Amino acid sequence: MGLRLFIFLRILNLLIDSHAHLDSPRYAEDRGDMLSRAKAAGVGAILSIGIGEGPAEMHRALDLCREFNGQPDLPRLYASAGIYPHMTPEVDDAALMKLDALLVEPEAIACGEIGLDYYHDGAPKDVQRVGLIRQLEVAAARKRPILIHCRGTDESTDAWDDLFSVLDEHWGGTGLGGVMHCFGGGWEQAKRSLDMGFLISFAGNVTYSKAQGLRDVAAKVPLDGILVETDAPWLAPGKLRGKRNEPALMVQTAEVLAGLLGVSGAEIAASTTHNFARLFHLDANALG
C-alpha cells in the first residue's frame, strides 16, 4: 500500500498536513528545501501554526505564507494564529488585538493552537481557561474554526473535562467547529468532539509501538471526521521517532491510518483533503 499511496499522492497532491510549526528555528537552514520535499512526497497544502514563543511571534506563520506561496513545486500554505495554553499569562488587550488583526487576513484560516495543558508545568489552570475563553471570543467574531491542544494531568481526563465545559458554554453555539489537534484522548472524548463538529487529527505518535490505545480510537473515527498532521518538527513517525519531523514524512502516518480504517491510500488522502476543505470553506481542487 505504501508505494501505491506514494504514487497516488505524487500525481494528485491530495494529502494535507493540518498542523505543522513551519516557523520553528529547526528549519532555519533548509525551510525551502523542506517544503520542496513535502511537495515531492505528495503534500499539497500545509496549515502553518502561528503561536511561536508567544503573542509577539503569532504573525510568523502568516509571513511564511507570503514568502512561499506562489512558488513552483511547493505546497500551498495556510496560517493560523493563537496563544498556546502556557503563554496565556500574556493574553492582554494588545495580544488579543493582534490576534484579531491576524485572523482578518485571508491566509489565516484558523485560531490556534489554543486550549488547556495540565500535563506540563506552566500557566495556572484558571489563567489558561480565561485565556482560552478570550481567544474563543475573537475567533467567533472572525468566524474562524479553532485548533485545540488538550492534555491532562498524567493523561487523565481533567483537562478534557474542563475543555468541554468551556466549549459547551462559549463555542458550541457558534457552529464553527474546529480540529482536535494531535488527538490523545479516548473514544469518549473523540465522540464528544465529533458531536460538537470537530475533526480529529492524528499525528506521528499514532504509529508508535506503545500507542495501541490511540490506534484503537483512530479505527473508530469515521472517514468524514479525520485529519492527518505532523505537528512538525515534533513526533516523527515510526522508526524516525526522536528525529526532526517534517511534512514529507506524514505519508507514513497516512498509511497507518488507512490500514486502521480499512481503506486505500487514495481514500484516506481524498477524505482528509475533503474534510479540511469543508471545515475551512476552501476549494478542495485548489489545495494541491
Side-chain angles (χ1 to χ4, degrees):
M1 181 176 66
L3 180 59
R4 293 197 302 273
L5 176 63
F6 180 75
I7 294 172
F8 177 82
L9 292 174
R10 280 184 61 88
I11 295 171
L12 295 183
N13 291 315
L14 279 179
L15 201 58
I16 295 177
D17 186 346
S18 66
H19 196 109
H21 298 266
L22 300 182
D23 63 341
S24 169
R26 295 175 70 180
Y27 300 124
E29 300 301 320
D30 68 341
R31 191 171 283 111
D33 290 339
M34 175 267 293
L35 292 173
S36 182
R37 288 192 293 272
K39 185 73 170 186
V43 179
I46 304 170
L47 180 49
S48 179
I49 304 305
I51 57 170
E53 293 298 324
E57 299 181 358
M58 278 192 293
H59 61 281
R60 290 187 176 179
L62 181 60
D63 289 349
L64 291 178
C65 291
R66 293 173 175 173
E67 179 179 354
F68 290 104
N69 277 344
Q71 294 190 30
D73 300 321
L74 296 183
R76 172 71 179 270
L77 302 186
Y78 295 93
S80 74
I83 302 168
Y84 188 75
H86 288 310
M87 298 298 175
T88 47
E90 299 180 45
V91 174
D92 56 17
D93 289 345
L96 293 170
M97 287 178 62
K98 179 175 181 178
L99 175 61
D100 181 72
L102 289 170
L103 293 182
V104 171
E105 300 300 325
E107 301 95 334
I109 61 174
C111 178
E113 65 189 274
I114 61 177
L116 301 174
D117 189 317
Y118 297 171
Y119 184 81
H120 296 101
D121 291 333
K125 295 177 181 179
D126 59 335
V127 174
Q128 291 188 44
R129 289 193 290 270
V130 171
L132 171 60
I133 291 168
R134 296 194 72 186
Q135 292 182 86
L136 293 179
E137 293 169 348
V138 176
R142 293 300 174 189
K143 299 190 184 312
R144 293 293 193 260
I146 55 176
L147 313 175
I148 289 292
H149 169 107
C150 187
R151 192 171 184 187
T153 305
D154 295 323
E155 304 303 325
S156 75
T157 66
D158 53 355
W160 284 104
D161 296 340
D162 287 351
L163 174 68
F164 286 125
S165 177
V166 170
L167 294 178
D168 284 342
E169 182 175 357
H170 298 278
W171 190 251
T174 69
L176 293 168
V179 179
M180 291 300 180
H181 135 72
C182 192
F183 186 78
W187 175 242
E188 180 181 349
Q189 290 75 37
K191 180 64 166 58
R192 191 165 178 182
S193 300
L194 292 166
D195 289 344
M196 291 187 71
F198 282 81
L199 298 176
I200 310 297
S201 186
F202 292 96
N205 55 332
V206 77
T207 71
Y208 297 166
S209 60
K210 295 183 179 180
Q212 187 57 50
L214 187 58
R215 286 190 288 276
D216 292 341
V217 173
K220 295 182 180 180
V221 177
L223 267 178
D224 64 359
I226 201 165
L227 292 175
V228 192
E229 66 172 87
T230 55
D231 200 19
W234 303 285
L235 299 179
K239 295 180 180 179
L240 297 173
R241 183 178 183 178
K243 298 184 181 298
R244 188 190 77 167
N245 198 7
E246 61 179 72
L249 301 179
M250 69 179 302
V251 174
Q252 298 180 39
T253 304
E255 290 176 0
V256 169
L257 288 174
L260 292 171
L261 293 167
V263 300
S264 68
E267 288 176 285
I268 198 70
S271 294
T272 52
T273 294
H274 176 76
N275 296 340
F276 187 90
R278 184 184 73 243
L279 175 65
F280 296 112
H281 304 288
L282 303 170
D283 179 0
N285 294 321
L287 291 175

